[in-house]
Amino acid sequence: MRRCLLFSARNALSLSRTGSRQSLQNGFHSTAQRLATRGPSEVEKRIAKIPIERFRNFCIVAHVDHGKSTLSDRLLELTGTIEKGGNKQILDKLDVERERGITVKAQTCSMIYNYEGEDYLLHLVDTPGHVDFRAEVSRSYASCGGALLLVDASQGVQAQTVANFYLAFAQNLELIPVLNKIDLPSADKERTLTQLRDTFEIDPTNAICLSAKTGLNVEQLLPTIVEQVPAPSTNAGAPLKLLLVDSWYDNYKGVILLVRIFDGSVRAGDRLVSLATSQEYIVGEVGIQYPLETPQTVLRAGQVGYMYFNPGMKRSKDAKIGDTYTTVGNAKKVQMFPGFEEPQSMVFVAAFPTDQGDYTHLEDSINQVTLNDRSVLVMKESSEALGAGWRLGFLGTLHCSVFEDRLRQEHGASIIITPPSVPFKIIRRDGTEEIIRNPNDFPESSFIHQHIADVQEPIITATIALPEEYLGKVIELCEANRGIQESLTFFTATQVILKYEVPLERLVDDFFGKLKSATKGYASLDYEDAGYRSSSITKLQLHVNKVPVDAVARVIHTSQAEFMGKQWVKKFKEHVDRQMFEVVIQAVAGKKVVARETIKPFRKDVLQKLHAADISRRRKLLEKQKEGRKKLRAVGNVTIESSAFQKFLAK
């Protein structure tokens, strides 16, 4: 009986394994088989009939908050891709994007537009407007043949408008000037058109004036795109050559790739090879964003779409942005694309869990967010005061703020973020160079005098567009932040473009907020890296009873040490509990104490039992108490709760 049971169990296990293997084999080609079984959809049939000559790939570029996502919604409604009156900003998929009203990650969508009786396949890329995400814009240009240069008619040409224009001009994109928000009472079309002509030498008669919010004149835009944006130049008969433009992570499918097909075609089941990593993959599914992921039988030359592999690509790092893919066997026939320049981290912060018991949960949360944000640099770090944590690198202060919001909103993380710092370069006397990203690793003043030839800080070139009436205040602000003026240009009678070299360390110290306050919100800022420059730099540390606190350290210019030190000790004193002995809080820059605060100890009234005693008796008791205080201070340790650091580091 036992043998029969054992035999039947083995048979069942064998059958289950055979069935699992068979189901895996069936699932391996499930997408291709499913599409073949049900036949192509109506959308796919329409796309199949459209020749490459009627493909149009374009993006929308503008300064932040000029209405790119709203205009994208109107275009999707006009082409029937989405229903009218649905969700607003449908291409902004993150909660933080909808909450703040900004675009953080470039999003794509394909549309079918019937013009003069013929179908056209339009591919739209909605790009971020903030300077921190400039890399997203430059990548979007690689998949496009034209761009809509969107300008808010009430704000006029602003700093990021200028930067985006020159990026597009360098890529030889066809630019279509578009004026948005003409329905606002403050809109000034004539002034904005004059700015476009004087700044970019664009013919203002070709500009389209519309209101994306109300839909006014938006229907004029699609025919202009069809007529002016060139069709992609491709070779459908050549071996497959596609460019990896972007990627994101899906828990079930693995890494999903956004690709632009330059030559040939790709379909489910094809074996592809990466020219950068030489890894081979089997395509599991191809499709387009319409506006959600819509599977297709094939992606042709000139199209922009998505694909994922089966078995899936597990690590986001394997999807190298700017990589070239082709079919296996054609690697030597295809020339690799030059790729994209990887954005470098400009701002660094330290992150710690508020409770060390939540370390594992926070680590998982950070890993989840970085799967879809490859520009975040993550390194492990520990602090005596705050415990284990991470050193995080970001493209800018807004990027850091968005990352923090995503951790809190999407994962419920409770986190402490230290003030942002920037990397510094030290050049030793033997000629070797080192980049210091952590303030605690910055060498002491004695070591600098003996072994360091030069200390340099990062510099950025800031382009500020502002009304002429605020020019004096902005120049005063830039000079106060150690800026050096490069140029001052009046591009209209009332608008100024100001260029300054400003230390990055000053930029991350809420420079943008101060600029907005000084100009009542009318100024706009764009910046780019300008290398390193020699400077007088020191490390400011907080000492409690002459013991340095590693959680509170910052590398700053020597001219700021005294002012910032006074702020630190005054604020930190508010959050440290009184002890049985005196607590001395000091701000130390190099070897010099630049500020000090003292917390008085709790004091017992030793004279309480004396009534009419002699004065010498009183003095004896007070001296005895003083001696006890000295002994207690010598052996006593100041215990500072982590909540004190949380309150001190809070903005």
Side-chain angles (χ1 to χ4, degrees):
M1 181 69 179
R2 190 174 295 172
R3 286 181 179 177
C4 292
L5 287 171
L6 184 61
F7 178 74
S8 61
R10 283 176 177 171
N11 279 344
L13 182 61
S14 175
L15 285 170
S16 68
R17 284 176 175 170
T18 306
S20 300
R21 199 179 300 117
Q22 187 66 38
S23 64
L24 280 172
Q25 291 172 352
N26 291 340
F28 194 72
H29 298 294
S30 60
T31 303
Q33 289 175 350
R34 189 169 66 250
L35 289 172
T37 303
R38 75 185 183 195
S41 63
E42 288 300 319
V43 171
E44 189 168 358
K45 288 178 183 178
R46 289 182 69 183
I47 292 175
K49 295 176 183 178
I50 302 174
I52 295 174
E53 292 75 24
R54 296 208 296 270
F55 287 3
R56 300 290 185 269
N57 300 333
F58 68 98
C59 59
I60 306 177
V61 292
H63 190 81
V64 65
D65 201 30
H66 277 208
K68 294 182 297 300
S69 298
T70 308
L71 180 59
S72 299
D73 288 350
R74 298 293 85 76
L75 294 177
L76 294 176
E77 289 174 358
L78 282 173
T79 55
T81 310
I82 62 173
E83 294 181 2
K84 291 186 177 181
N87 291 333
K88 293 181 180 179
Q89 297 178 336
I90 194 166
L91 295 184
D92 288 343
K93 297 175 181 177
L94 299 176
D95 291 339
V96 68
E97 290 181 314
R98 294 178 179 275
E99 181 183 302
R100 294 188 178 215
I102 60 173
T103 302
V104 170
K105 190 170 180 63
Q107 300 292 345
T108 65
C109 186
S110 295
M111 305 174 286
I112 301 175
Y113 174 58
N114 191 278
Y115 177 62
E116 295 182 350
E118 293 181 323
D119 280 346
Y120 285 80
L121 181 64
L122 309 181
H123 180 77
L124 161 69
V125 183
D126 180 21
T127 61
H130 197 275
V131 61
D132 285 4
F133 309 106
R134 182 191 287 137
E136 294 274 336
V137 180
S138 61
R139 286 205 299 264
S140 303
Y141 286 157
S143 61
C144 297
L148 304 182
L149 188 65
L150 193 66
V151 183
D152 185 341
S154 63
Q155 300 285 339
V157 171
Q158 294 190 282
Q160 197 62 28
T161 315
V162 179
N164 286 333
F165 169 80
Y166 287 117
L167 276 174
F169 189 76
Q171 295 277 348
N172 293 320
L173 295 187
E174 184 68 34
L175 287 169
I176 301 174
V178 180
L179 266 64
N180 192 19
K181 303 186 182 181
I182 61 170
D183 58 314
L184 294 180
S186 57
D188 190 342
K189 291 193 293 183
E190 296 303 321
R191 184 199 66 180
T192 309
L193 291 172
T194 304
Q195 290 176 355
L196 285 172
R197 184 191 64 209
D198 296 345
T199 311
F200 307 130
E201 298 181 359
I202 292 177
D203 186 1
T205 57
N206 296 330
I208 299 173
C209 301
L210 53 82
S211 169
K213 185 177 181 180
T214 63
L216 179 66
N217 295 338
V218 177
E219 66 279 355
Q220 298 177 13
L221 193 54
L222 289 170
T224 308
I225 293 170
V226 169
E227 292 168 1
Q228 294 190 21
V229 175
S233 57
T234 59
N235 185 355
L240 173 67
K241 182 180 181 181
L242 62 84
L243 173 70
L244 175 55
V245 179
D246 199 2
S247 69
W248 59 94
Y249 192 84
D250 185 272
N251 288 332
Y252 301 101
K253 301 172 183 176
V255 181
I256 301 178
L257 314 180
L258 180 70
V259 296
R260 157 81 150 87
I261 316 295
F262 279 85
D263 297 326
S265 61
V266 61
R267 61 183 71 234
D270 287 354
R271 295 182 67 88
L272 304 189
V273 60
S274 161
L275 298 189
T277 64
S278 300
Q279 293 288 327
E280 295 185 9
Y281 304 96
I282 299 176
V283 180
E285 180 178 291
V286 298
I288 59 173
Q289 303 283 108
Y290 189 76
L292 303 177
E293 292 172 9
T294 306
Q296 303 284 293
T297 306
V298 62
L299 285 179
R300 294 185 288 152
Q303 278 191 274
V304 179
Y306 74 88
M307 70 178 186
Y308 63 83
F309 302 121
N310 192 352
M313 184 186 286
K314 301 300 182 187
R315 299 189 307 166
S316 294
K317 292 181 180 178
D318 291 339
K320 298 187 180 296
I321 304 301
D323 191 6
T324 309
Y325 285 76
T326 187
T327 47
V328 173
N330 289 324
K332 294 182 179 179
K333 300 177 185 177
V334 172
Q335 187 176 1
M336 189 173 178
F337 289 108
F340 303 114
E341 184 180 350
E342 283 292 327
Q344 299 297 316
S345 298
M346 305 276 281
V347 174
F348 292 85
V349 300
F352 301 93
T354 53
D355 181 358
Q356 281 296 310
D358 297 333
Y359 179 87
T360 305
H361 170 66
L362 185 57
E363 185 176 31
D364 292 340
S365 302
I366 290 174
N367 290 335
Q368 283 289 325
V369 176
T370 52
L371 282 174
N372 289 323
D373 192 351
R374 62 177 63 242
S375 53
V376 179
L377 183 67
V378 181
M379 297 172 287
K380 290 195 175 181
E381 185 176 290
S382 63
S383 163
E384 291 182 10
L386 297 172
W390 302 267
R391 170 78 35 184
L392 305 176
F394 298 99
L395 303 177
T397 49
L398 178 67
H399 186 203
C400 174
S401 177
V402 167
F403 186 86
E404 184 181 352
D405 284 354
R406 289 188 65 187
L407 283 177
R408 296 185 194 280
Q409 292 175 2
E410 298 174 18
H411 300 274
S414 184
I415 188 171
I416 305 170
I417 298 285
T418 62
S421 63
V422 300
F424 292 87
K425 182 191 287 186
I426 59 172
I427 303 174
R428 293 187 173 85
R429 296 190 187 277
D430 59 6
T432 57
E433 298 181 357
E434 184 183 357
I435 302 294
I436 305 293
R437 295 183 173 87
N438 189 338
N440 292 317
D441 296 336
F442 194 81
E444 299 296 333
S445 57
S446 57
F447 184 86
I448 291 176
H449 289 310
Q450 294 175 14
H451 302 97
I452 305 299
D454 194 15
V455 180
Q456 298 180 345
E457 65 176 341
I459 303 295
I460 55 99
T461 301
T463 303
I464 305 170
L466 69 150
E468 183 266 341
E469 60 191 282
Y470 302 110
L471 182 58
K473 289 183 178 179
V474 173
I475 290 178
E476 188 179 327
L477 175 66
C478 293
E479 297 289 341
N481 284 278
R482 299 190 286 121
I484 299 174
Q485 189 178 125
E486 284 192 345
S487 65
L488 191 156
T489 309
F490 281 82
F491 64 95
T492 66
T494 58
Q495 290 289 314
V496 184
I497 289 184
L498 195 60
K499 282 198 172 184
Y500 259 88
E501 275 193 355
V502 181
L504 181 60
E505 184 264 333
R506 301 309 304 144
L507 186 79
V508 302
D509 190 21
D510 198 26
F511 179 83
F512 188 61
K514 295 171 185 173
L515 178 67
K516 286 290 186 183
S517 298
T519 60
K520 298 181 181 177
Y522 284 107
S524 58
L525 172 70
D526 175 62
Y527 63 86
E528 57 186 15
D529 186 20
Y532 286 82
R533 186 173 67 194
S534 298
S535 187
S536 178
I537 300 297
T538 188
K539 177 166 72 172
L540 184 66
Q541 273 191 307
L542 204 63
H543 288 206
V544 177
N545 278 4
K546 298 185 179 181
V547 177
V549 180
D550 63 344
V552 187
R554 190 166 171 184
V555 181
I556 59 172
H557 194 264
T558 50
S559 63
Q560 302 165 248
E562 190 171 336
F563 173 74
M564 190 170 289
K566 288 179 179 178
Q567 285 186 321
W568 276 16
V569 295
K570 187 176 180 181
K571 186 176 180 182
F572 199 68
K573 180 183 178 182
E574 298 172 1
H575 305 300
V576 177
D577 295 332
R578 288 177 71 186
Q579 308 288 328
M580 294 300 294
F581 51 90
E582 186 179 69
V583 178
V584 178
I585 302 170
Q586 296 171 313
V588 181
K591 289 186 175 181
K592 182 182 178 183
V593 177
V594 294
R596 169 179 168 145
E597 287 282 350
T598 304
I599 301 177
K600 297 295 182 184
F602 290 115
R603 185 182 176 200
K604 182 181 178 182
D605 187 4
V606 294
L607 306 178
Q608 184 180 11
K609 59 185 178 182
L610 298 179
H611 298 286
D614 185 67
I615 188 68
S616 60
R617 175 65 175 161
R618 290 172 179 266
R619 284 177 182 165
K620 183 180 178 182
L621 289 173
L622 290 172
E623 289 296 326
K624 187 178 179 181
Q625 184 185 42
K626 191 183 290 185
E627 289 297 322
R629 293 291 179 206
K630 286 182 181 178
K631 289 180 182 178
L632 190 60
R633 183 177 171 186
V635 298
N637 292 320
V638 181
T639 304
I640 302 174
E641 299 291 334
S642 62
S643 59
F645 290 104
Q646 294 175 32
K647 292 171 184 174
F648 175 76
L649 296 171
K651 297 172 185 175

